[in-house]
Amino acid sequence: MSNRSGTDDERHFALWSNKQARMPIGSPRVLIAHQDKLIGESLAALLRLTGLQVMHTQSLKSARSLLQNWKPQALILDTRLDSESGYAFINALRPDADLTGRLLVAISNIWPADPVETLKDAGFDAHCRRPCATWRLAEMLATYFSIPKRCQY
């Protein structure tokens, strides 16, 4: 862990799942589905610096296709893309994520707009409130994929 201070309050950042992926052959793949192009691309670029393969999309349709064809080991989802449907997209992914061990991370609205219990019930393994500290996501993914620390972010 880094020496960065941050809120350890579950309302702001939490990893609920204890599942952990084995280090895949090659770099782990992470899909970011974020409605804001600049934010999604920035997160993707910064996470690539940690050695991850990262793609960004702005739509659930594209995310569905990438999940089926590219098969990322983690999905980071902007909740604004799925909340109006009652998280139907995440609910449909949950059985597959349980089988494959895919990590499902919510980038959620400011508390209390996306209550923690709602995110847990929807099937997310973790969440980070917007604006989300990239170093927290990087550390979560490094832990999940058992990636040795190479640099400080």
Side-chain angles (χ1 to χ4, degrees):
M1 293 295 281
S2 76
N3 292 331
R4 289 188 171 91
S5 64
T7 305
D8 289 332
D9 186 341
E10 183 182 59
R11 292 175 297 168
H12 301 284
F13 177 84
L15 175 62
W16 304 299
S17 174
N18 60 0
K19 65 184 176 184
Q20 193 169 25
R22 284 193 214 136
M23 182 68 161
I25 297 188
S27 298
R29 293 179 304 278
V30 177
L31 176 60
I32 298 172
H34 200 289
Q35 88 174 19
D36 296 319
K37 183 176 182 167
L38 290 176
I39 294 170
E41 288 297 328
S42 295
L43 282 172
L46 290 169
L47 290 176
R48 283 185 199 109
L49 293 175
T50 68
L52 299 168
Q53 295 180 60
V54 185
M55 293 185 78
H56 168 248
T57 183
Q58 290 179 265
S59 75
L60 292 181
K61 181 179 179 181
S62 176
R64 188 174 290 110
S65 176
L66 287 164
L67 287 165
Q68 291 172 352
N69 298 310
W70 191 50
K71 302 193 184 316
Q73 288 91 14
L75 169 66
I76 300 172
L77 179 74
D78 177 351
T79 58
R80 293 175 293 181
L81 294 172
D82 197 25
S83 61
E84 285 186 21
S85 71
Y87 299 103
F89 181 78
I90 285 296
N91 285 319
L93 287 181
R94 182 81 257 160
D96 179 57
D98 288 342
L99 290 174
T100 63
R102 180 180 295 132
L103 184 67
L104 301 175
V105 181
I107 294 183
S108 57
N109 283 321
I110 297 169
W111 183 81
D114 276 336
V116 169
E117 287 306 315
T118 301
L119 298 173
K120 285 180 182 180
D121 292 344
F124 287 102
D125 299 308
H127 86 105
C128 191
R129 294 280 179 213
R130 259 187 312 277
C132 187
T134 306
W135 67 268
R136 283 203 180 254
L137 286 173
E139 283 187 353
M140 177 195 308
L141 294 169
T143 300
Y144 176 71
F145 291 117
S146 302
I147 299 171
K149 290 199 180 207
R150 298 185 317 180
C151 64
Q152 294 294 319
Y153 357 90

